[in-house]
């Protein structure tokens, strides 16, 4: 299907591989991208309260892509939901394209942060939740998508340790676990968060109904983490 034929269409989950296929070039980080595909779709299709016609609405949910390398799935979902034109996808990663190898919040409509070095997203999410609380803006939720390998970064553990006792119940984190972390965690990823006072659920990261149930689990007074297990990166 040509770009001309793609314009103006309504997309669903089955269209995402084709949209991702429009993005070519080097350094695509394919496994990193596809590991997040189902999580991103369920969030944008059924959970996040965001609208492409009002990406800066103060009442919107905030979605922070900390796992910013390999953003093809993210761009495909944003295109499917009308945040960015499908026409942009073939230029992915080129010199004059707004769709870089890491999302740029200044160039990509709907992107909340410009992700770069791993380990930044969750601390920024904590700060965002604190900032909304300080302003008395209680309705929006903050969502952060983190890769399991990012948990090798100490900055995340400082954020985890702070958010639980602070009772940041508008903060939600999704850990996409494709077994790429370098260091084991006694008891598993969820146990690390639970020890810091978080609500935690572990699910199959390809099961849309399980993801939706986990994303909408009540967690009054506590931040919430969903560990979404997918196939190992080397598989």
């Amino acid at each position: 299907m040509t770009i001309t034929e793609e314009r103006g269409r309504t997309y669903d989950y089955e269209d995402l591989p084709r949209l991702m296929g429009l993005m070519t070039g080097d350094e695509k980080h394919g496994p990193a991208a596809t590991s997040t595909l189902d999580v991103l779709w369920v969030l944008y299709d059924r959970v996040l309260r965001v609208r492409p016609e009002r990406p800066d609405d103060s009442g919107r949910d905030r979605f922070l892509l900390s796992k910013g390398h390999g953003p093809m799935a993210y761009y495909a979902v944003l295109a499917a939901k009308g945040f960015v034109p499908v026409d942009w996808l073939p230029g992915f990663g080129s010199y004059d394209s707004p769709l870089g190898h890491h999302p740029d919040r200044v160039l990509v409509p709907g992107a909340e942060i410009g992700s770069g070095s791993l380990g930044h997203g969750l601390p920024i999410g904590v700060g965002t939740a604190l900032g909304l609380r300080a302003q008395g803006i209680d309705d929006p939720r903050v969502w952060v998508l983190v890769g399991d390998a990012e948990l090798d970064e100490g900055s995340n553990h400082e954020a985890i340790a702070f958010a639980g006792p602070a009772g940041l119940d508008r903060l939600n984190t999704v850990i996409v676990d494709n077994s790429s972390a370098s260091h084991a965690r006694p008891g598993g990823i969820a146990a690390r968060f639970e020890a810091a006072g978080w609500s935690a659920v572990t699910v199959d990261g390809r099961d849309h109904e399980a993801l939706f149930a986990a994303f909408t689990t009540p967690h009054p007074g506590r931040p919430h983490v969903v560990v979404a297990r997918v196939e190992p990166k080397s598989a």
Side-chain angles (χ1 to χ4, degrees), residues 35-199:
S35 69
T36 66
L37 187 62
D38 298 271
V39 164
L40 287 165
W41 179 256
V42 174
L43 282 172
Y44 274 89
D45 190 54
R46 302 174 64 180
V47 178
L48 291 175
R49 295 170 298 180
V50 292
R51 293 183 294 171
E53 65 273 14
R54 297 188 64 185
D56 298 322
D57 185 351
S58 62
R60 73 191 183 281
D61 288 342
R62 274 70 166 173
F63 174 75
L64 283 58
L65 183 68
S66 187
K67 184 181 168 71
H69 59 293
M72 291 190 301
Y74 181 52
Y75 293 152
V77 170
L78 288 180
K81 292 301 181 181
F83 287 87
V84 303
V86 173
D87 304 51
W88 286 8
L89 299 180
F92 164 69
S94 61
Y95 175 75
D96 57 352
S97 172
L99 305 182
H101 290 118
H102 282 257
D104 186 328
R105 67 179 182 85
V106 176
L107 301 178
V108 181
E112 296 283 352
I113 60 172
S115 58
S117 178
L118 296 179
H120 286 176
L122 187 52
I124 294 173
V126 168
T128 301
L130 283 171
L132 291 170
R133 174 188 283 181
Q135 297 174 74
I137 303 175
D138 299 323
D139 194 39
R141 295 165 296 184
V142 180
W143 289 84
V144 187
L145 194 159
V146 177
D148 64 313
E150 286 193 72
L151 297 181
D152 291 342
E153 300 289 342
S155 54
N156 280 315
H157 293 276
E158 293 182 13
I160 294 166
F162 178 87
L168 297 181
D169 56 2
R170 308 310 288 170
L171 177 64
N172 303 267
T173 299
V174 186
I175 308 294
V176 175
D177 181 6
N178 64 355
S179 302
S180 59
S182 299
H183 306 294
R185 290 168 191 83
I189 293 174
R192 169 67 186 91
F193 284 82
E194 289 173 330
W198 290 57
S199 163

